[in-house]
C-alpha cells in the first residue's frame, strides 16, 4: 500500500487535502492524473448505466436537502456506527474494527471488547460501545440553531427517491425504470483509514432501479452480474481479485432486505468495493408516509396500484480508482532493468500517448516532434509531450503512469516520416508512418 500511496503522490494522482497545513484526516484531492482517471471511470459507468440504456435516466441532486428527507429515510436514527471512547486518553475508535468483526450488534461488541485495551494508549479503559450518527451537519441561513440545522447527504440515493415521481412524470417512464446519479456524499467516519479507501468526503455512483415486487429476484441477480462484469470487462480488473460477500442480518443497512457486496483484494485484505441492495419499498413507503404524497404506481397491465420495489447498485468512485490502481500495479524486471508499470486498460490511462523527440537539443527533431504531437493530440486529445531526461527515463516515467504508447521522433523520421511506437506492456518498438498513427 505504501508503494501505491507514494506513486499517487509522486505522479500526481492523489494528494492529501490541505497538505501544506498538515492535511485533514479523511479528505483527499485528486491531482492532474487522478482527475483524468476518475473522469474516465465515471464516464464509463455513466455510459454503461445511462447512455446505453433505454429506461435509466440521470439526475444531479443537491448535496443539502430538506432534513425531513433524512428523517424519513431512517438516516437520522439509523445511519450510525458503533464507537468506544477511551477514558484515559480520550481517543475514539470504531468498535467493530477494534473487535475484528463485521457485526454492528452492541451486545455482541460489548462481549468481544470486554478485555480489549485502547490501541492508542494501551489502557483497558474503553467505554461500552454506543451508536454514533455519521451525518455531517451544517446550518442553512444566518442563524445557527435547531431550525436551520441541515445535513450533507450521506448517500446520493436520497434525492433519487424524492425525485422518483418527477422523473417518472417527465420521462413518462413505466416500470421497470431506473434513476442514476454521480455525486459527492459525506460521512463523519470515526476512523478514516487506508488512504482513499475510507474517507469522509466521498463520491458515489448510484443507480436505483424501480421494479414490480415480483421482479425482485431476477433484477437483483442481474444488477449483481452487471457490477461484476463492469469491473472485469470495462475496468479490466482481474477476476481473481474479486469475491462476493453476502451481508449477514447484523451487517445490513437499515434500508436493505438483502445485500451483496463485491469485495476487492486491496493490499490490506479483501474489502467492500461495490454494493447491490434490495431496498424493497422501504424508501418510497417512508417518504410517502412522511410527506403525505401519494407515490404509488398504477400498473396498467395488472390494473393495480402499488409502491415499486428498488434494487440499488452503489459504488464509491475513490474506492474504484484505488482498486484500478492496485490491480494495474506491477513491478517487473525487463532486460535486467527494474520498472514499475501500471497496466491500465488503454482507454482508462490518463494519457493515451506520449510524444518525445529523441534528443531535446536538436531543433530539427523538436520541430518535427512538435508537429507530430499537435497532430496526434488533435486526434486523440489526451496526449502528453515529454522531453525530460533521456529516453529511457521517459519510458520509465510513462510506464509508471500507465501510458500505453510512447512515440519517439528520431533522425530516421526526418528521412522517411516514420516514428517509433513503443508498447507499454511488451516494451517492443515498431516503426510506423506518421500518417498511420492518425489512421
Ligand atoms: N446508497 C447505498 C450506500 O450508500 P454503502 O454500502 O454505505 O451503501 C456504497 O456505500 C459504496 O460507497 C460502498 O460500497 C463504497 O464503495 C462507497 N463508500 C461508502 N463509504 C465510504 C467511505 N467512507 N469512503 C469511501 N467510499 C465509501
Amino acid at each position: 500500500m505504501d508503494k501505491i500511496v507514494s506513486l499517487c503522490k509522486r505522479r500526481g494522482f492523489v494528494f492529501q487535502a490541505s497538505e501544506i497545513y498538515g492535511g485533514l484526516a479523511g479528505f483527499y484531492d485528486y491531482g492532474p492524473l487522478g482527475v483524468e482517471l476518475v473522469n474516465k471511470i465515471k464516464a464509463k459507468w455513466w455510459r454503461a448505466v445511462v447512455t446505453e440504456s433505454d429506461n435509466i435516466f440521470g439526475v444531479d441532486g443537491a448535496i443539502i436537502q430538506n432534513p425531513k428527507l433524512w428523517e424519513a429515510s431512517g438516516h437520522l436514527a439509523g445511519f450510525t456506527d458503533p464507537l468506544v471512547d477511551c477514558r484515559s486518553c480520550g481517543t475514539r475508535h470504531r468498535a467493530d474494527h477494534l473487535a475484528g468483526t463485521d457485526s454492528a450488534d452492541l451486545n455482541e461488541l460489548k462481549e468481544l471488547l470486554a478485555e480489549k485495551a485502547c490501541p492508542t494508549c494501551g489502557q483497558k479503559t474503553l467505554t461500552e460501545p454506543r451508536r454514533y450518527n455519521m451525518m455531517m451537519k451544517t446550518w442553512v441561513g444566518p442563524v445557527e440553531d435547531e431550525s436551520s440545522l441541515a445535513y450533507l447527504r450521506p448517500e446520493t440515493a436520497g434525492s433519487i427517491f424524492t425525485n422518483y415521481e418527477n422523473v417518472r412524470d417527465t420521462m413518462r417512464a413505466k416500470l421497470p425504470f431506473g434513476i442514476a446519479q454521480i455525486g459527492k456524499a459525506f460521512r463523519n467516519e470515526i476512523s478514516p483509514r487506508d488512504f482513499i479507501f475510507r474517507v469522509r468526503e466521498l463520491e458515489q455512483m448510484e443507480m436505483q432501479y424501480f421494479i414490480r415486487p415480483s421482479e425482485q429476484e431476477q433484477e437483483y441477480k442481474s444488477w449483481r452480474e452487471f457490477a461484476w462484469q463492469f469491473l472485469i470487462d470495462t475496468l479490466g480488473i482481474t477476476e481473481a481479485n474479486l469475491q462476493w460477500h453476502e451481508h449477514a442480518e447484523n451487517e445490513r443497512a437499515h434500508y436493505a432486505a438483502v445485500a451483496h457486496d463485491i469485495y476487492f483484494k486491496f493490499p490490506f485484505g479483501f474489502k467492500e468495493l461495490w454494493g447491490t441492495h434490495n431496498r424493497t419499498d422501504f424508501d418510497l413507503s417512508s417518504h410517502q408516509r412522511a410527506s403525505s404524497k401519494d407515490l404509488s404506481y398504477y400498473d396498467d397491465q395488472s390494473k393495480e396500484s402499488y409502491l415499486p420495489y428498488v434494487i440499488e447498485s452503489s459504488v464509491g468512485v475513490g474506492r474504484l480508482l484505488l482498486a484500478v490502481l492496485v490491480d494495474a500495479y506491477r513491478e517487473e524486471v525487463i532486460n535486467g532493468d527494474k520498472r514499475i508499470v501500471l497496466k491500465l486498460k488503454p482507454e482508462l490511462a490518463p494519457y493515451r500517448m506520449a510524444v518525445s523527440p529523441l534528443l531535446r537539443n536538436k531543433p530539427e527533431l523538436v520541430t518535427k516532434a512538435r508537429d507530430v504531437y499537435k497532430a496526434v493530440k488533435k486526434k486523440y486529445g489526451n496526449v502528453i509531450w515529454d522531453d525530460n531526461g533521456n529516453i529511457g527515463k521517459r519510458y520509465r516515467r510513462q510506464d509508471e503512469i500507465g501510458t500505453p504508447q510512447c512515440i519517439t521522433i528520431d533522425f530516421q523520421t526526418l528521412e522517411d516520416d516514420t516514428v517509433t511506437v513503443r508498447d507499454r506492456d511488451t516494451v517492443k518498438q515498431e516503426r510506423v508512418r506518421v500518417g498511420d498513427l492518425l489512421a
Side-chain angles (χ1 to χ4, degrees):
M1 191 63 193
D2 287 347
K3 289 176 177 173
I4 299 282
V5 175
S6 152
L7 175 78
C8 283
K9 167 88 202 282
R10 191 169 68 244
R11 294 297 182 210
F13 283 94
V14 182
F15 305 127
Q16 230 188 338
S18 352
E19 189 185 332
I20 61 169
Y21 294 107
L24 184 63
F27 295 88
Y28 288 90
D29 296 335
Y30 291 113
L33 273 70
V35 74
E36 289 297 328
L37 183 49
V38 155
N39 284 344
K40 284 177 185 168
I41 292 173
K42 290 196 285 192
K44 294 267 175 210
W45 184 90
W46 192 262
R47 191 183 167 101
V49 174
V50 180
T51 322
E52 285 178 358
S53 144
D54 301 325
N55 64 346
I56 301 180
F57 311 101
V59 293
D60 186 2
I63 284 171
I64 297 176
Q65 300 277 340
N66 189 317
K68 287 181 186 159
L69 190 166
W70 306 117
E71 195 180 333
S73 70
H75 282 82
L76 260 181
F79 192 61
T80 55
D81 267 345
L83 70 72
V84 286
D85 289 292
C86 174
R87 289 194 200 90
S88 306
C89 69
T91 53
R92 274 192 171 166
H93 309 275
R94 270 280 290 264
D96 49 343
H97 291 171
L98 206 56
T101 171
D102 286 327
S103 167
D105 183 283
L106 289 186
N107 286 327
E108 218 173 289
L109 289 167
K110 190 175 149 190
E111 269 178 36
L112 288 167
L113 292 173
E115 286 304 309
K116 275 265 179 204
C118 167
T120 308
C121 71
Q123 300 293 314
K124 287 191 176 171
T125 46
L126 295 175
T127 59
E128 284 190 4
R130 65 187 169 86
R131 302 217 155 271
Y132 155 87
N133 194 293
M134 289 198 288
M135 282 199 290
M136 295 244 191
K137 294 183 178 126
T138 189
W139 289 268
V140 176
V143 183
E144 294 183 8
D145 65 12
E146 273 296 305
S147 68
S148 62
L149 183 61
Y151 303 90
L152 307 193
R153 62 181 176 193
E155 58 169 3
T156 57
S159 58
I160 287 184
F161 295 118
T162 53
N163 277 309
Y164 154 76
E165 280 270 280
N166 286 335
V167 174
R168 192 173 62 73
D169 272 359
T170 50
M171 306 313 288
R172 280 169 292 150
K174 300 238 185 266
L175 293 188
F177 74 94
I179 307 180
Q181 171 162 215
I182 300 180
K184 293 279 179 115
F186 299 80
R187 298 181 178 188
N188 205 358
E189 297 280 353
I190 299 161
S191 42
R193 54 157 87 172
D194 297 321
F195 191 41
I196 54 173
F197 176 80
R198 186 180 303 286
V199 288
R200 287 173 166 149
E201 176 175 339
L202 57 135
E203 193 165 23
Q204 290 186 312
M205 303 196 283
E206 296 202 298
M207 190 286 318
Q208 271 63 38
Y209 205 57
F210 297 87
I211 57 169
R212 297 179 181 88
S214 60
E215 296 164 333
Q216 57 182 315
E217 271 173 35
Q218 174 204 330
E219 290 298 345
Y220 188 69
K221 184 164 170 269
S222 94
W223 282 103
R224 281 179 58 186
E225 276 162 18
F226 165 76
W228 189 265
Q229 284 321 122
F230 182 87
L231 290 169
I232 295 164
D233 300 338
T234 311
L235 300 186
I237 289 184
T238 316
E239 191 161 14
N241 286 340
L242 301 175
Q243 60 179 222
W244 282 108
H245 171 82
E246 181 174 3
H247 281 213
E249 200 181 335
N250 59 11
E251 277 176 74
R252 280 199 296 267
H254 60 275
Y255 48 72
V258 197
H260 278 82
D261 288 333
I262 297 176
Y263 274 28
F264 174 79
K265 192 178 180 187
F266 289 101
F268 39 88
F270 270 100
K271 297 277 176 204
E272 176 185 344
L273 176 61
W274 191 322
T276 305
H277 314 127
N278 180 351
R279 292 178 78 132
T280 67
D281 60 358
F282 173 86
D283 300 271
L284 289 184
S285 68
S286 307
H287 290 304
Q288 174 167 275
R289 212 167 28 246
S291 66
S292 307
K293 294 264 180 335
D294 180 9
L295 298 177
S296 61
Y297 175 83
Y298 179 71
D299 190 327
D300 41 20
Q301 275 175 20
S302 67
K303 315 280 180 224
E304 300 169 288
S305 282
Y306 53 83
L307 285 172
Y309 269 33
V310 170
I311 304 297
E312 167 179 75
S313 181
S314 174
V315 61
V317 178
R319 268 192 206 178
L320 260 191
L321 174 117
L322 185 58
V324 165
L325 288 177
V326 166
D327 194 83
Y329 183 93
R330 307 273 196 293
E331 288 177 4
E332 295 178 343
V333 179
I334 290 200
N335 305 331
D337 278 341
K338 204 177 148 203
R339 70 163 184 168
I340 292 172
V341 56
L342 283 185
K343 293 203 168 167
L344 295 170
K345 275 202 123 185
E347 58 277 30
L348 288 183
Y351 297 112
R352 181 70 188 76
M353 294 173 180
V355 178
S356 302
L358 180 66
L359 300 168
R360 61 195 284 193
N361 56 359
K362 294 283 175 207
E364 62 276 34
L365 290 184
V366 174
T367 308
K368 178 67 188 170
R370 280 276 171 202
D371 289 346
V372 173
Y373 170 68
K374 269 191 217 138
V376 287
K377 195 169 175 71
K378 192 164 175 205
K379 163 106 194 195
Y380 297 104
N382 53 346
V383 175
I384 187 173
W385 171 262
D386 190 357
D387 64 359
N388 250 314
N390 65 36
I391 196 78
K393 278 205 180 124
R394 290 178 212 161
Y395 287 159
R396 274 198 293 284
R397 188 163 51 238
Q398 295 304 328
D399 285 346
E400 263 200 0
I401 61 174
T403 309
Q405 290 170 322
C406 290
I407 295 164
T408 304
I409 285 71
D410 56 16
F411 292 104
Q412 195 180 325
T413 315
L414 305 178
E415 284 163 24
D416 64 5
D417 212 34
T418 64
V419 295
T420 63
V421 178
R422 179 212 182 243
D423 180 86
R424 175 195 71 195
D425 297 343
T426 62
V427 306
K428 290 219 172 79
Q429 299 191 25
E430 242 191 294
R431 285 210 84 86
V432 175
R433 299 190 63 77
V434 170
D436 290 343
L437 275 182
L438 299 175

